[in-house]
Amino acid sequence: MPVQTAPRSQSAVTRDYIAKQSPTSNIASLISHLPGVLAPSVDPAGVTNDHIMLRGLNETETGYVFEGVPIVDPMSYAPYTAMIVDSENIGRVQVTQGSSDLTSPLYNAVGGQIETSEITPAKQMGGYIAATGGTYGMNKEFLRLNSGEIGRTGVYGFASYSHTSYDNWRGPGGLTRHHVDARLFKEWGDNNSASISFGWTAQEQVNLVSPSLAKWEASGATGEYESSHYYPGNSSYYKLNQHNPDGLFITAPLKFNLGSGLTFHTTPYLISQHGPSIFGQNLPVTGGYFGTRSYGTLNVPYAVNGVVTTQRFDPWEQRASGLNSTLAWVHRNNTVSLSYWYAYNTHHEYAAYSPVDYAGNTPSNYESDSIHVFGGTQLRGYNYNFTQQVNTISLDDTLTLFGGRLLADAGIRAAMLTISGTNEVPGADPYRGGGSYFQPLPQIKLSYRLDRKNQIYINGTTAFRAPANVTSYVESFSPTSATPSSTPGVNLKPEYSISEEVGFRHTGLYNLSVALFNDNLTNHQLTSTTYLSGTNILVSQSINAGGETIRGVQAELGLKPWHHFSPYLSGQYLHATTDNNYDTGTDYLPTKGKIAPETPKFSGAVGLSYDNGHMFGNFYLNYVDKQYSTLMNDQAMHSYTVANATLGYRLERIGFAKSPQIMLNIVNIGDNHYLSSPTGDNPTAVARKGIFGTSVSGSEPTYNIGAPFSAYVSVSTGF
């Protein structure tokens, strides 16, 4: 439990803790025991899932920053942390619950901020090598090489490569991931530095199916999964349902000491990601649609009983680039900073369809062999082209008084966001969509140190989030119907929050942090999900849940090592309610006063670590209370408890090997069978009458299944 001094709630995990977790862990799984954080697992290795809840708000309402750069999909706000960095190269992860920095390049951080830093290159030439193997055929190989000083330039660097693969723990298929990290770093003069970080990922993964509550209860621990054998009409065949993203990440943080108390930070960056995502789907040979226009009869092979099985190919492509800069001036006991962030993002995505032969094989060239209609036009379910521009400017002033015991910080950010795009399929209404948003976001924070060990603080912050996903602005179609599979949500407006917090900290033999918080949200945006009929394609749609009030208390307690043992406790009590009746467009559902989805009343973790320099280990147990998955509170997940453990031993230097070690990581020790999270939050699970008597259809939620017992053995050494 690292010492914190900022006038707001913050928790962190250090490099020492990260090094003792499974080498396949992503950022979400590394912070799962921190107060206010729910990070439900999906795969035992912890590679793929980035779903979190932070004080009852999900990952799309949380700002993710890596080395000064936002690392979320700029359209959907979904994080892809495993695409950015290997856990072996993470130096620290810090969570700010309920607020974000004014200088951070974020415009969706209603729930808080997660900031990750990369390790600094070693000053000596050498490296690190590790290999991991375990349950479900999981294996990871990792190699990092340190350059030491390059010539006499004062530049140090490292480059690493990793390969990870495993079999799905339920159903056929699995995951294969290749990843490269590299960094160059130089410091000079009085607090000047420059670095450049590079990351590249290529990943292939067979999708896991998310069952309904009824199907999970009927099938037990595994729920549904993709089919391992193909026959004509079997769109659930696993080779037809994959997510294969590639990504490239470059950032170059620069810091200059200009003298006279002036410092300048600037960080240019580029992130490029592309698919494809592919799914199986059956199309009617006659009577299907291109948008709202009937395509007549398809001229395709391999049709059986008037139906052709296809692979839907979605080669989405996204580029995000920007520049985030801060000029700060320190004069006596006052610090003033001026920040500006500009970002330009593009998103292109379409859905094309290729026939599958009688053996389940797909064409080698998706473009030339895809289905065409109307004399040569490629059949598409949607064809999105979007651009987004972000401008934020912030001014912050920090004043310290009484020898630094009192800190007062006040500032404001002005966020300006423009989104514009089209869906170029026949009948799309609207053909063009988008929005322009402007929001001033003030903050004020006060902190007072009672003495060297005790601190109290209070703050008031604001945040906003523009509607997420391209489907918030234009329709989406499927060739099986002229009716859109998703439409822009009813009354979608930017989400806005006002948050207040009062906290206390004690540092010393034990570190204690307690905070009481109150958040008020307007136009709270949720994502409703349902499977497209007859497919494993999960269709998402943003909905406006109205106002929400979130109140609670979080606490964290850690003891410094005592006889090499360090116990740890964290917990949160949460009371979150929906403040308005839900607007369906034709009526209202009586949701006012009901418990907000995915807001368990109690959650917490108990941990114990041991490290005597040679033998080390840790144990963590997480508890999560019952969670509703609908605004009407007519369906819920049960509470669950999961325990993980680590046991390892470090040796002395053996020849060229520096501190070789062996480590065992155990996930879900008791093999608890549980649902870990909903895939989305639907208005109602069953059909019912609205307040004014209009029939409102229901949509049964689907869920992620918690990862089962697994164990991994790692051997590693520096050299």
Side-chain angles (χ1 to χ4, degrees):
M1 183 178 171
V3 173
Q4 305 284 353
T5 59
R8 61 186 184 184
S9 292
Q10 284 188 173
S11 306
V13 293
T14 63
R15 179 63 217 159
D16 180 69
Y17 171 84
I18 295 168
K20 296 172 183 174
Q21 309 311 303
S22 171
T24 58
S25 299
N26 67 3
I27 291 173
S29 57
L30 290 173
I31 60 175
S32 60
H33 68 280
L34 298 181
V37 179
L38 303 184
S41 66
V42 172
D43 71 88
V47 175
T48 59
N49 185 44
D50 271 310
H51 179 56
I52 69 163
M53 298 298 291
L54 194 58
R55 288 187 178 174
L57 301 174
N58 69 23
E59 68 279 0
T60 69
E61 297 165 288
T62 302
Y64 282 75
V65 178
F66 175 72
E67 288 295 320
V69 171
I71 54 171
V72 300
D73 181 322
M75 296 302 302
S76 69
Y77 312 141
Y80 299 106
T81 61
M83 299 283 289
I84 299 297
V85 64
D86 270 323
S87 64
E88 290 89 347
N89 295 326
I90 295 176
R92 180 184 176 99
V93 184
Q94 181 159 284
V95 179
T96 302
Q97 299 95 337
S99 64
S100 66
D101 289 326
L102 284 176
T103 59
S104 293
L106 303 170
Y107 53 85
N108 68 311
V110 177
Q113 174 178 313
I114 298 173
E115 188 172 3
T116 304
S117 60
E118 195 168 29
I119 61 172
T120 300
K123 292 189 175 182
Q124 294 80 33
M125 183 181 295
Y128 174 80
I129 188 169
T132 303
T135 315
Y136 304 107
M138 199 283 287
N139 66 90
K140 179 177 182 179
E141 299 79 43
F142 177 87
L143 172 65
R144 181 174 63 235
L145 298 176
N146 301 315
S147 68
E149 185 176 10
I150 301 175
R152 297 183 178 180
T153 63
V155 176
Y156 302 86
F158 74 77
S160 70
Y161 166 78
S162 71
H163 165 266
T164 305
S165 66
Y166 60 76
D167 300 324
N168 282 341
W169 68 271
R170 53 188 180 96
L175 173 142
T176 301
R177 173 182 181 266
H178 300 271
H179 184 80
V180 172
D181 286 323
R183 188 181 188 193
L184 294 173
F185 180 79
K186 176 180 173 64
E187 289 182 306
W188 72 94
D190 183 13
N191 204 24
N192 299 287
S193 65
S195 69
I196 182 168
S197 294
F198 169 89
W200 171 84
T201 299
Q203 183 171 301
E204 295 182 359
Q205 176 191 359
V206 172
N207 299 321
L208 290 174
V209 180
S210 301
S212 66
L213 180 62
K215 289 183 177 179
W216 181 75
E217 290 178 339
S219 60
T222 59
E224 298 177 282
Y225 46 82
E226 310 286 4
S227 172
S228 59
H229 301 287
Y230 179 77
Y231 53 85
N234 182 15
S235 62
S236 295
Y237 180 48
Y238 78 101
K239 291 186 178 180
L240 303 183
N241 295 273
Q242 299 185 39
H243 181 57
N244 301 333
D246 293 347
L248 174 69
F249 169 89
I250 303 174
T251 181
L254 305 170
K255 180 181 178 182
F256 302 102
N257 184 350
L258 305 180
S260 301
L262 286 170
T263 57
F264 180 65
H265 298 247
T266 187
T267 305
Y269 65 90
L270 170 67
I271 302 175
S272 176
Q273 298 190 73
H274 58 89
S277 296
I278 50 181
F279 296 92
Q281 185 171 3
N282 292 324
L283 303 185
V285 174
T286 302
Y289 296 88
F290 182 14
T292 60
R293 181 182 175 186
S294 174
Y295 57 56
T297 300
L298 299 176
N299 181 20
V300 292
Y302 313 121
V304 176
N305 298 324
V307 173
V308 58
T309 301
T310 69
Q311 187 172 66
R312 193 187 85 171
F313 181 71
D314 180 352
W316 54 273
E317 186 170 350
Q318 189 174 87
R319 288 186 174 90
S321 57
L323 179 68
N324 186 36
S325 302
T326 299
L327 178 66
W329 181 47
V330 179
H331 180 65
R332 296 181 181 176
N333 58 343
N334 199 54
T335 302
V336 179
S337 62
L338 178 66
S339 301
Y340 175 68
W341 172 43
Y342 174 77
Y344 182 79
N345 310 312
T346 62
H347 181 94
H348 176 54
E349 181 177 9
Y350 65 87
Y353 302 85
S354 300
V356 178
D357 71 16
Y358 297 127
N361 300 310
T362 56
S364 58
N365 190 315
Y366 291 97
E367 289 292 338
S368 62
D369 296 325
S370 61
I371 297 174
H372 289 71
V373 296
F374 309 141
T377 303
Q378 188 180 54
L379 176 64
R380 295 183 173 184
Y382 46 80
N383 185 10
Y384 303 135
N385 288 278
F386 271 77
T387 61
Q388 180 193 77
Q389 292 194 74
V390 183
N391 288 271
T392 70
I393 186 168
S394 62
L395 179 65
D396 186 60
D397 188 11
T398 302
L399 178 67
T400 57
L401 298 171
F402 306 120
R405 296 179 68 177
L406 175 65
L407 181 146
D409 185 340
I412 187 169
R413 174 194 294 180
M416 294 155 280
L417 176 67
T418 301
I419 301 172
S420 177
T422 59
N423 184 9
E424 299 176 3
V425 298
D429 184 19
Y431 154 74
R432 182 181 298 276
S436 294
Y437 309 97
F438 170 77
Q439 186 65 60
L441 301 168
Q443 288 189 9
I444 185 168
K445 295 175 284 188
L446 299 171
S447 170
Y448 186 74
R449 297 196 67 85
L450 302 173
D451 54 35
R452 189 171 56 86
K453 295 184 178 181
N454 297 288
Q455 174 192 11
I456 57 174
Y457 61 87
I458 184 171
N459 62 62
T461 60
T462 57
F464 103 112
R465 172 186 183 270
N469 290 319
V470 295
T471 54
S472 296
Y473 303 98
V474 293
E475 296 174 326
S476 176
F477 289 86
S478 170
T480 56
S481 174
T483 302
S485 55
S486 68
T487 58
V490 175
N491 196 30
L492 275 183
K493 297 179 180 178
E495 183 173 340
Y496 182 77
S497 72
I498 301 175
S499 304
E500 302 89 23
E501 188 177 59
V502 177
F504 168 79
R505 288 195 186 98
H506 171 84
T507 60
L509 175 62
Y510 64 92
N511 292 340
L512 170 67
S513 178
V514 181
L516 288 80
F517 54 87
N518 176 73
D519 298 341
N520 294 102
L521 284 74
T522 57
N523 298 307
H524 182 210
Q525 298 170 35
L526 298 177
T527 300
S528 174
T529 59
T530 185
Y531 277 105
L532 188 64
S533 179
T535 73
N536 288 341
I537 301 172
L538 198 61
V539 178
S540 300
Q541 183 162 333
S542 295
I543 61 176
N544 188 338
E548 182 174 329
T549 299
I550 303 173
R551 292 172 179 160
V553 58
Q554 68 174 55
E556 187 178 21
L557 173 65
L559 183 69
K560 287 188 176 181
W562 180 76
H563 294 283
H564 310 299
F565 285 97
S566 297
Y568 175 85
L569 295 170
S570 71
Q572 176 180 264
Y573 168 80
L574 194 66
H575 181 69
T577 56
T578 301
D579 297 338
N580 304 99
N581 293 325
Y582 174 69
D583 184 357
T584 68
T586 58
D587 206 330
Y588 290 86
L589 289 174
T591 56
K592 183 177 181 179
K594 294 189 180 296
I595 301 298
E598 295 191 75
T599 57
K601 182 175 290 186
F602 297 102
S603 61
V606 178
L608 180 67
S609 64
Y610 177 86
D611 193 333
N612 68 3
H614 291 288
M615 182 174 290
F616 63 91
N618 58 58
F619 170 85
Y620 282 95
L621 182 146
N622 284 75
Y623 170 79
V624 179
D625 212 343
K626 181 181 77 171
Q627 303 175 63
Y628 290 107
S629 53
T630 66
L631 290 169
M632 283 298 298
N633 292 174
D634 53 11
Q635 194 167 115
M637 293 168 34
H638 298 299
S639 62
Y640 63 87
T641 303
V642 178
N644 301 333
T646 298
L647 182 64
Y649 190 83
R650 301 185 195 94
L651 300 171
E652 299 289 349
R653 180 167 184 151
I654 303 175
F656 71 90
K658 300 177 182 178
S659 300
Q661 73 171 34
I662 184 170
M663 180 172 67
L664 170 68
N665 295 101
I666 304 175
V667 177
N668 194 356
I669 294 174
D671 196 23
N672 187 17
H673 300 164
Y674 66 101
L675 295 176
S676 62
S677 65
T679 61
D681 304 312
N682 295 350
T684 176
V686 298
R688 61 178 71 244
K689 296 289 186 181
I691 291 176
F692 300 121
T694 305
S695 295
V696 179
S697 61
S699 179
E700 192 171 8
T702 56
Y703 299 88
N704 294 313
I705 303 177
F709 169 86
S710 58
Y712 308 111
V713 175
S714 304
V715 290
S716 62
T717 185
F719 58 88

